[in-house]
Amino acid sequence: MSKEEFEFQKFRKSGTILPFIIAALCILTIVFLLRKCNSPNEFWNGSYPNYSKITPIFPDKPNVLKPIDTTKIIIPDDPLKRPILSNLLNVYVQDTTNLKLFSKAVINTYIDDSISVTYFADAYKRVQFEVPPNRQKQLKTQIKEDFQLVKFVCYESIISNNQSKSDPGFSNLEYDWFYRQIGLYRAWNQTMGDPSIKIAVIDDSFDPNHEELVNQIEKPWNVFEYSDKVRVYNSKSVHGTHVAGTAVGEINNGFGISGVAPRSKLIPIQIADGNGMMTTSSILDGIFYALKNKANVINLSLGIDLSKAFGSLTEEQQEVYANEIYLDEAAMWNEVYEIAAKEGTIIVQAAGNSAVLSSLDPMKRSKATIVVGATDRNEKTAEFSNYGEGVDIYAPGVNIYSSVPNQQFKQMDGTSMASPIISGCVALIMSVDKNLTIADIKRLMNETGKTFNGRDNLIQIDQLLLKIKAL
């Protein structure tokens, strides 16, 4: 037994190493005898075997996701009824863990399950295992129990982008109503953003040649293709282009309308495969790419459809579920968001379109992000918007006019549209004062927002910037 084989046993929580020592001595004795008697041995070549060749551990390249196998998509027996891939588990370990040794330990501990590694990210200590579908649920529990270095074990979930339900633009009251409602025109007297402030939009796909985006883009990335070629795979993939245009579309180009922060820059990060599917892993890869490339703001117009699972429950019943389900996954997302906050990056995310409490979604429970609900033209909560104490601020999300592929524009609904409005506002805020923390920004949003429903606040960016200036 090699030294590397021996060391990985230290990852186990319990058990003795004595049987392994005895086995190693037996193997060495046999090898010695074979050499002495010159017996033929096809495995012997004068050196100890290369363990990595006997048990392949990692794919050739890190951070490269395999295409989504749609035949493995199932709806698990749990409250969220969220689609997952039945053959994958994502395991997150302590920062000091040697991923290769840990992976070998897992593979050899459950040797009968023929586990393999499909993906790994050493920079943030995450490894994805392919497991037998009939053992996925048990292994999810066992791996965390058997290895003390494991922090979280989560499914590979299929995430939606909250698809909508359904410069000439500035002269149309139907198109620019939300600019006026949040005080954006007055805010632009102070700033339209700054090229040093970069908004990373993590979404399904982008039209990089759209007139609203072509001059705004820096450092694009396509997660599944592992390249800088962002694109639109089919005519239905309009979401990312619309979101990006709402946040940072170009101004004074004689075309369409503009984003909330038109002088800032865009990092488009495409996280959907050719079928428009996004996963937990592709989102995480997008976030860490944005952090690596010094994004100041990250927009996540993504989430889970919660209406079927929870739409008929009372708020009290929903609160019980929010406090009991997917705690491991919520803790994982919170840790990622806190990493971003320490880097000085503000994450803004859509609350969701299921008309339920936003905190039912484990992605939305952290205090280290800004969760955005949607309002309508009457400054009321949009009928589809998620709500509750987990929503930090509201922004218009009905009939939002912005770019879609092929030099087109469209009005769309959703908290997906409200979120980039807030991302643009955060870029304006950071253009005035880059030192504000996420806690500072959330406090200022609520102190200067327009209160409705007696508890919620609609962003008023002009008043917020004035308050910063007065500080």
Side-chain angles (χ1 to χ4, degrees), residues 231-251:
R231 66 190 75 217
V232 177
Y233 289 122
N234 56 65
S235 59
K236 295 181 180 180
S237 298
V238 303
H239 194 272
T241 303
H242 195 280
V243 169
T246 303
V248 72
E250 189 175 3
I251 197 168

Side-chain angles (χ1 to χ4, degrees), residues 35-85:
R35 293 189 71 192
K36 283 294 184 181
C37 64
N38 294 318
S39 300
N41 186 337
E42 63 179 313
F43 298 107
W44 180 255
N45 60 5
S47 63
Y48 288 106
N50 185 327
Y51 189 84
S52 64
K53 290 182 179 178
I54 296 173
T55 309
I57 295 299
F58 286 166
D60 292 337
K61 296 180 180 179
N63 299 95
V64 179
L65 292 171
K66 293 177 67 175
I68 295 170
D69 185 350
T70 56
T71 66
K72 296 294 193 297
I73 296 176
I74 63 168
I75 306 296
D77 183 21
D78 65 31
L80 289 183
K81 306 299 181 187
R82 176 181 52 179
I84 65 171
L85 291 170

Side-chain angles (χ1 to χ4, degrees), residues 114-412:
S114 300
I115 295 173
S116 62
V117 175
T118 61
Y119 164 96
F120 67 102
D122 195 61
Y124 45 102
K125 299 301 181 185
R126 180 162 59 94
V127 60
Q128 184 179 89
F129 293 108
E130 183 169 3
V131 301
N134 64 339
R135 285 273 292 152
Q136 184 192 42
K137 187 174 182 180
Q138 295 93 325
L139 287 170
K140 183 175 184 290
T141 300
Q142 283 183 251
I143 290 173
K144 188 171 183 181
E145 289 180 349
D146 288 347
F147 295 91
Q148 61 185 358
L149 295 175
V150 171
K151 295 192 292 187
F152 318 113
V153 182
C154 303
Y155 293 129
E156 180 75 323
S157 302
I158 304 295
I159 311 294
S160 72
N161 53 14
N162 287 318
Q163 291 282 7
S164 63
K165 298 184 175 181
S166 39
D167 293 334
F170 286 119
S171 63
N172 190 323
L173 297 179
E174 291 300 311
Y175 295 162
D176 80 333
W177 69 269
F178 60 95
Y179 292 72
R180 290 178 276 111
Q181 190 178 88
I182 68 172
L184 184 59
Y185 288 134
R186 292 186 294 272
W188 279 351
N189 291 328
Q190 299 181 62
T191 181
M192 286 188 171
D194 188 285
S196 68
I197 304 298
K198 298 172 177 55
I199 302 176
V201 174
I202 297 176
D203 220 293
D204 61 354
S205 63
F206 303 90
D207 180 356
N209 299 312
H210 199 290
E211 289 291 332
E212 294 291 66
L213 306 181
V214 66
N215 296 319
Q216 305 292 80
I217 291 174
E218 292 186 2
K219 299 180 179 178
W221 189 249
N222 186 322
V223 168
F224 274 97
E225 293 190 7
Y226 207 70
S227 76
D228 60 1
K229 306 300 183 185
V230 297
R231 66 190 75 217
V232 177
Y233 289 122
N234 56 65
S235 59
K236 295 181 180 180
S237 298
V238 303
H239 194 272
T241 303
H242 195 280
V243 169
T246 303
V248 72
E250 189 175 3
I251 197 168
N252 294 335
N253 60 353
F255 190 66
I257 201 163
S258 86
V260 173
R263 300 295 188 216
S264 294
K265 291 297 182 180
L266 167 69
I267 301 177
I269 303 174
Q270 185 165 348
I271 60 167
D273 68 358
N275 295 313
M277 292 186 178
M278 298 169 282
T279 66
T280 303
S281 290
S282 65
I283 296 170
L284 288 169
D285 280 358
I287 290 173
F288 282 100
Y289 178 84
L291 295 179
K292 181 180 178 181
N293 288 279
K294 309 300 181 184
N296 303 94
V297 187
I298 295 175
N299 186 85
L300 296 173
S301 289
L302 313 164
I304 305 169
D305 181 3
L306 301 165
S307 56
K308 292 181 181 179
F310 302 107
S312 62
L313 300 183
T314 66
E315 283 191 25
E316 290 75 16
Q317 290 171 322
Q318 291 177 33
E319 287 177 357
V320 170
Y321 275 107
N323 290 323
E324 292 181 350
I325 61 174
Y326 280 89
L327 302 183
D328 224 23
E329 188 171 331
M332 180 273 292
W333 285 115
N334 181 65
E335 183 168 294
V336 172
Y337 299 151
E338 287 185 343
I339 290 171
K342 289 176 183 176
E343 299 264 339
T345 299
I346 308 298
I347 293 182
V348 180
Q349 54 176 331
N353 299 337
S354 303
V356 297
L357 294 180
S358 65
S359 55
L360 285 165
D361 185 340
M363 284 185 70
K364 319 294 182 187
R365 297 178 194 167
S366 174
K367 299 298 183 184
T369 72
I370 299 174
V371 178
V372 184
T375 53
D376 58 23
R377 291 186 68 159
N378 297 317
E379 300 182 356
K380 302 295 183 183
T381 306
E383 62 178 3
F384 54 78
S385 179
N386 289 353
Y387 60 91
E389 293 183 0
V391 176
D392 297 298
I393 193 69
Y394 285 79
V398 178
N399 289 334
I400 304 303
Y401 183 74
S402 185
S403 50
V404 292
N406 300 317
Q407 311 304 341
Q408 301 296 309
F409 292 82
K410 183 179 180 180
Q411 287 180 302
M412 295 176 66

